[in-house]
Amino acid sequence: MAQPVADPFRTETPRQPHWFKTAVFYEVSVRGYADSNGDGYGDLRGLINKLDHLQWLG
């Protein structure tokens, strides 16, 4: 069974002040990512339709 995720807002949870040094960040340009209505510009609906792909990226 999967381990439960620690609640970051509880005071008992140990803090790692430099967590961002090993984190991976993704940025998605919505206007350039996925077009759902065919107008040539990406939009939020297109982004939402591709969330499974973004999750696959990690």
Side-chain angles (χ1 to χ4, degrees):
M1 184 169 200
Q3 294 291 330
V5 176
D7 182 358
F9 299 105
R10 294 188 60 147
T11 57
E12 300 86 27
T13 304
R15 304 286 183 216
Q16 295 181 3
H18 301 290
W19 61 269
F20 58 90
K21 291 183 178 181
T22 58
V24 176
F25 294 90
Y26 289 101
E27 178 181 355
V28 177
S29 175
V30 175
R31 288 186 64 190
Y33 186 68
D35 181 17
S36 69
N37 59 3
D39 66 355
Y41 297 101
D43 46 44
L44 287 176
R45 186 169 305 214
L47 177 67
I48 290 169
N49 290 337
K50 298 290 186 176
L51 286 178
D52 57 338
H53 173 71
L54 294 175
Q55 182 181 16
W56 177 81
L57 291 174

